[in-house]
Amino acid sequence: MKICRTIEELTSAIEEVKQQGKTIGLVPTMGALHEGHKSLFKRARAENDVFVSSVFVNPIQFNNKEDFEKYPRDEQKDLSILEECGCDIAFVPTAEEVYKQEPKEFNFGKLEQVMEGKQRPGHFSGVANIVSRLFLWTRADKGYFGEKDYQQIAIIKDMIRQENINIEIIACPIYRDEDGLATSSRNQRLSPEARKIAPKIHQILEKSFLQRNSLSLSQIKRFVEDEFKKVKDFDLEYFLIVDDTTLQPIHTKKPEHGVIGCVAVWLDGVRLIDIQRYY
Ligand code: AMP
């Protein structure tokens, strides 16, 4: 595995690959790699000649300084996981390197006025800055993203349209621990007691899924909110039922559109997110 720390090292490694006519799959990450990341690596490895990944905790997508500082970092461990997963090129830059050129302001309109975008102002512009740069530097044919960050995928699809970047975005299903908790770098920050409570997020969502034929979407919303209230350690930030493409809240299902529920909840000082597809 080649480790690149500068844009120049990366772009010259990519040039070599491109000259050989090989396809490139990219998985951008913020490190603290876990099984969820590995599920993306597996696909990128299998579906491309060359598998590139990046490990970069992107400062400009954090609107909370403490969250940025507390974000788990372990470069050596991440690099050995990437190597194990068959990564060909690992890009591990500093913030100075990535932002030699000032970040620009992205605007995603309604797509970012709900859920994560609404709760975390500037977050998606920060994500779009790093992801667009990674797409340009790696010249990847395919970019792999997890559905755990569902809104992020919609934003990235819009970003490549705005920037005219030719890449296929591959949305990968959420990887869960055996007890149903979506794996996340933030899970490491949960106390052992909180870790036992956390799977209730998925359990509540699954329970609501089973009732989708007898309840209206508004009733499902209320049901989920009530279930979260019953667990005293949870502090629900939002639960929204949205159109799976426009991400706008809906109360009645339209036949041609999918419907998903998106949740953000605080537990033990850690903010966790998850989704549930209803239709
Ligand atoms: P992160 O390092 O948290 O920025 O995540 C890097 C990529 O891995 C993003 O596309 C995430 O959506 C994806 N990812 C993180 N956790 C999971 C998971 N449990 N299942 C599937 N994809 C995930």
Side-chain angles (χ1 to χ4, degrees), residues 16-154:
E16 218 173 284
V17 169
K18 281 281 168 185
Q19 277 184 5
Q20 295 166 14
K22 291 182 173 168
T23 59
I24 298 176
L26 170 70
V27 186
T29 83
M30 297 208 298
L33 302 176
H34 51 69
E35 295 298 323
H37 296 112
K38 286 190 199 172
S39 66
L40 272 54
F41 297 159
K42 226 181 189 168
R43 282 200 62 182
R45 177 63 287 167
E47 296 174 7
N48 302 277
D49 298 326
V50 171
F51 156 35
V52 180
S53 187
S54 56
V55 175
F56 178 61
V57 185
N58 179 30
I60 69 165
Q61 74 184 66
F62 286 81
N63 50 335
N64 176 328
K65 196 163 165 254
E66 197 187 332
D67 194 24
F68 174 65
E69 279 161 6
K70 279 196 185 161
Y71 203 84
R73 293 165 173 87
D74 188 342
E75 187 185 295
Q76 280 320 306
K77 192 169 165 211
D78 288 342
L79 289 174
S80 69
I81 291 174
L82 282 173
E83 180 117 55
E84 256 169 48
C85 293
C87 178
D88 298 299
I89 301 173
F91 183 46
V92 196
T94 60
E96 291 71 36
E97 184 67 14
V98 168
Y99 294 112
K100 271 196 230 167
Q101 252 191 26
E102 286 288 297
K104 70 178 240 185
E105 193 74 34
F106 278 88
N107 184 348
F108 296 105
K110 277 185 153 187
L111 266 187
E112 65 175 341
Q113 285 159 15
V114 289
M115 305 189 290
E116 295 303 286
K118 183 173 174 199
Q119 301 296 337
R120 307 174 68 187
H123 169 66
F124 284 125
S125 184
V127 169
N129 268 280
I130 179 63
V131 175
S132 59
R133 287 168 198 223
L134 291 171
F135 284 174
L136 293 173
W137 296 330
T138 62
R139 295 155 69 186
D141 300 278
K142 292 180 179 164
Y144 294 80
F145 296 86
E147 284 198 332
K148 184 167 86 70
D149 300 282
Y150 193 86
Q151 191 174 11
Q152 174 169 275
I153 297 179

Side-chain angles (χ1 to χ4, degrees), residues 201-209 239 263 274-276:
I201 300 170
H202 181 54
Q203 285 162 14
I204 292 171
L205 293 175
E206 267 195 321
K207 226 160 119 186
S208 71
F209 172 79
F239 173 68
V263 67
D274 205 340
I275 65 159
Q276 173 68 52

